[in-house]
Amino acid sequence: MKYMMKYSKYILCFAILLTAFYSEIKPVSANQENLQDIVPEMLGYNTPAPFEITVSAVSKESYGWYAFDNKTTSGWYVEGRPQPEGGHFLKINLGAVKKIDAISLKSFYIHSNKTGASIKNWKLYGSNDDQNWELLSSDINPPDDAKHTYQIKTENAYSFYRINILDSYHSSAPLSTIGIGEMELLGEVISPEPEPEPEPEPTGDHALLVIKMISGLEKEFDLTSTEVDTFIDWYNNRADGRGKETYMFEKNMKGPFTARKDYVAFSKIQSFEVMEYSK
């Protein structure tokens, strides 16, 4: 009885571990709220650029890029071919390093027997030199042709991604029949910041120059655009230690004066404002 209880504990522990293992490899639903397919609708093996598709083999004109053509009626398909070491593969060069957070897979439907799926065991790899590959994910696809999403648990980003199909529900060693109806590489697409609108060129031919003095007094001068530019040139030069200490403004004639001039000292200026307008 003691032995039976002892072995029962071992069996229970094994069952828990087995359950945990299979729960890890089951498809999981990725949070796709901020995820988009980073591969555009492909119209050829390298169209549009810079994306480029490579496959291990093709049957019946079911080209590799059909896995990314956003159509459910087509896909990449290999029928009854000897399986290379590591399984038949589909590889995509993104042309730039990009991080993916999940992939979605849909088997290429095969109308035979009771199972339509042409994907069973698969592995996904990433590389930045097309030589050294890191295993990113692997799973056993359910025996159907529905689309399933799988999360990628890595923070690394790559420019090459390759999926190897090790087995399908229609393979018979040494021959292999596999296919992908649709595949998506899902990542967070960050919209570029919009270019700032250029500041409009001044269109006014006049401006009101308001100078605030250190004393708190404000002086206003109604000037042409040319006169404002002349004042600003004087101010900038004086700030660099060049030019006269004071600037003279010709004021509009009012009263019995032959001339009216207002002298403003650079050292007494706190700030100034220019407000342009057209007459």
Side-chain angles (χ1 to χ4, degrees), residues 37 39-45 53-55 58 61-77 89-92 104-108 119 147 163 165 178-185:
D37 187 4
V39 181
E41 178 183 349
M42 296 300 293
L43 304 176
Y45 277 108
I53 309 293
T54 308
V55 293
V58 168
E61 298 183 350
S62 296
Y63 306 120
W65 59 272
Y66 281 177
F68 297 97
D69 66 354
N70 295 344
K71 294 181 176 62
T72 59
T73 56
S74 59
W76 169 53
Y77 179 55
F89 69 85
L90 181 150
K91 179 177 65 178
I92 180 167
S104 69
L105 282 176
K106 183 181 185 302
S107 286
F108 186 86
I119 299 176
K147 183 169 74 171
I163 186 168
I165 311 298
I178 57 94
I180 297 177
E182 280 298 311
M183 179 175 175
E184 293 177 322
L185 303 183

Side-chain angles (χ1 to χ4, degrees), residues 88-161:
H88 285 289
F89 69 85
L90 181 150
K91 179 177 65 178
I92 180 167
N93 178 4
L94 303 179
V97 176
K98 296 181 181 180
K99 180 181 180 297
I100 66 170
D101 299 286
I103 66 168
S104 69
L105 282 176
K106 183 181 185 302
S107 286
F108 186 86
Y109 181 74
I110 302 175
H111 184 68
S112 63
N113 301 328
K114 296 181 180 180
T115 304
S118 50
I119 299 176
K120 191 174 184 182
N121 297 347
W122 58 268
K123 294 181 183 292
L124 181 73
Y125 299 88
S127 172
N128 281 320
D129 59 6
D130 200 18
Q131 298 293 325
N132 300 291
W133 296 88
E134 179 188 355
L135 178 63
L136 305 181
S137 183
S138 62
D139 223 316
I140 299 176
N141 211 56
D144 57 49
D145 65 330
K147 183 169 74 171
H148 299 276
T149 302
Y150 304 85
Q151 290 178 336
I152 306 299
K153 297 179 180 179
T154 179
E155 294 300 318
N156 297 331
Y158 300 96
S159 55
F160 294 88
Y161 289 92

Side-chain angles (χ1 to χ4, degrees), residues 260-271:
R260 293 183 66 194
K261 295 180 173 60
D262 197 343
Y263 293 86
V264 178
F266 173 83
S267 59
K268 303 298 182 182
I269 297 175
Q270 178 177 330
S271 62

Side-chain angles (χ1 to χ4, degrees), residues 162-183:
R162 189 188 76 207
I163 186 168
N164 286 53
I165 311 298
L166 283 66
D167 195 8
S168 83
Y169 294 94
H170 296 274
S171 295
S172 179
L175 303 181
S176 180
T177 296
I178 57 94
I180 297 177
E182 280 298 311
M183 179 175 175

